[in-house]
Amino acid sequence: NHSLKFSTCMRFNDKRVPAAEWKAFAGYAFVLPMVAWVKENNSCFIEINFPNSLKKNLDNKAEFIMALEGFLNLSSGFSPLKAAFTFENHFDMPSRDIWNTTIDKCLDHLTESSLDKVVLARKRILNLSNFNPVSYFQKLSSQSENSFLFFIKLNDGQAFFSLSPELLFHKVGTNITLDSLAGTRKRGTTAQEDQLLERELKSS
């Protein structure tokens, strides 16, 4: 009795033309994996989402499972990360000068307008050698027990993987659990003010 595992994502701003690396996502993506590896406490198991066409035909279902076992090659396991990857150069977008100028402009806007928060981001592009994304993801998984991980292959030569401490949502039946880790509040000048600000944040 385990909940169904799937991934969904939407663009923050669907009015802008996406960068080249995000075009495969279009405006949104919904991924229902055929196979999900699940670890809960000290137990590991595999979840398989069978196509509806196989549920009532036991012969076809058996053939599907045998083919899947061969495809996953469960007896041999994953190959280890053979060599550390390297990169010879990288470049940032925007450049450091433009980035610093943008920060100064945002600070001016925060002072002169009603804005409360600005989130900036930079893109770093690396030209890698000896890089196997699946092997690297496997290595990260073994070192990130308290994170939520996903790996999505969009098409040949393009994949997206992430490690996040935040659970977007968890649904079991009609119950939904959310994590919200990004809330912040300034410190008070006294212990009583600290407690008041803490209560305001938690009830926000």
Side-chain angles (χ1 to χ4, degrees), residues 112-160:
E112 300 170 0
S113 69
S114 59
L115 290 176
D116 294 321
K117 182 178 181 180
V118 176
V119 179
L120 299 176
R122 297 176 79 189
K123 180 195 303 185
R124 170 160 289 185
I125 298 176
L126 309 175
N127 294 316
L128 302 174
S129 301
N130 302 322
F131 182 70
N132 183 321
V134 176
S135 296
Y136 186 63
F137 183 74
Q138 177 195 0
K139 186 178 180 71
L140 291 177
S141 301
S142 66
Q143 300 174 354
S144 308
E145 294 184 358
N146 296 321
S147 296
F148 296 93
L149 303 94
F150 63 85
F151 185 108
I152 301 173
K153 179 181 177 182
L154 301 173
N155 48 45
D156 289 340
Q158 188 174 19
F160 177 48

Side-chain angles (χ1 to χ4, degrees), residues 48 55 82 105 122 140 144 157 162-163:
I48 300 174
K55 290 182 178 179
K82 295 180 180 179
K105 288 181 179 179
R122 297 176 79 189
L140 291 177
S144 308
S162 176
L163 295 83

Side-chain angles (χ1 to χ4, degrees), residues 19-44:
E21 64 268 26
W22 297 109
K23 285 185 177 178
F25 274 106
Y28 60 90
F30 182 90
V31 180
L32 179 64
M34 181 176 290
V35 178
W37 302 84
V38 182
K39 179 180 180 183
E40 291 185 357
N41 300 321
N42 294 322
S43 299
C44 297

